Amino acid sequence: MDTIAMAADFTTLHNYYEKQVVDQVLDLAPNYPLLKKDHLPDVACVALNRLPPRYIRHQVDLAFHMTEKERQDSEQLIQDAVKFAFEFVQARYAMRARR
C-alpha cells in the first residue's frame, strides 16, 4: 500500500440523507406511539433504503450546489420515504404482536 492511500481519511464519508432522515424520524416519532424507541433505527434504515445514495464528505458539499428546486425535491423525497418507513415498520411490528 502506498503512502497516499495509507494517509487518506475516509471517516468523513457519509450519506447526505442520513442526518435529515434521522432528524425527521425523531420529529415524527410522537405521531407513532405504537413504536418504541428501539424501532426508530429500523424506521431510519427503511427510509434510507428508499432514497438514492448521495455520498459526501461535508453536509454543505451537496447543499451548496443544489438549486432551490432540487432542495425542495430532496425534502419531499425525505418526507415521503420517512412516512412510508414509519407505516411499514409499524405494520410489521403490529403483525408480529398478533402472533
Side-chain angles (χ1 to χ4, degrees):
M1 193 177 277
D2 64 23
T3 310
I4 293 174
M6 291 177 58
D9 178 13
F10 292 95
T11 61
T12 59
L13 297 177
H14 65 279
N15 185 326
Y16 173 76
Y17 292 113
E18 286 174 8
K19 181 177 177 356
Q20 287 92 325
V21 165
V22 169
D23 288 348
Q24 188 150 72
V25 166
L26 293 173
D27 287 347
L28 295 178
N31 299 336
Y32 297 88
L34 298 178
L35 295 178
K36 296 181 173 98
K37 184 171 66 172
D38 291 346
H39 299 139
L40 299 182
D42 294 333
V43 173
C45 285
V46 170
L48 285 165
N49 282 326
R50 293 184 63 81
L51 294 167
R54 304 282 310 254
Y55 286 93
I56 57 172
R57 290 187 62 196
H58 306 284
Q59 203 66 20
V60 297
D61 288 351
L62 186 59
F64 180 76
H65 297 287
M66 294 173 92
T67 66
E68 185 58 35
K69 170 90 168 97
E70 289 170 327
R71 218 177 328 282
Q72 289 172 350
D73 291 347
S74 177
E75 288 174 19
Q76 188 62 53
L77 276 176
I78 293 166
Q79 289 173 7
D80 293 346
V82 170
K83 184 173 190 264
F84 173 89
F86 266 112
E87 299 295 329
F88 179 83
V89 172
Q90 184 170 269
R92 294 293 244 187
Y93 283 103
M95 283 190 329
R96 285 186 189 163
R98 286 188 222 148
R99 291 182 190 182

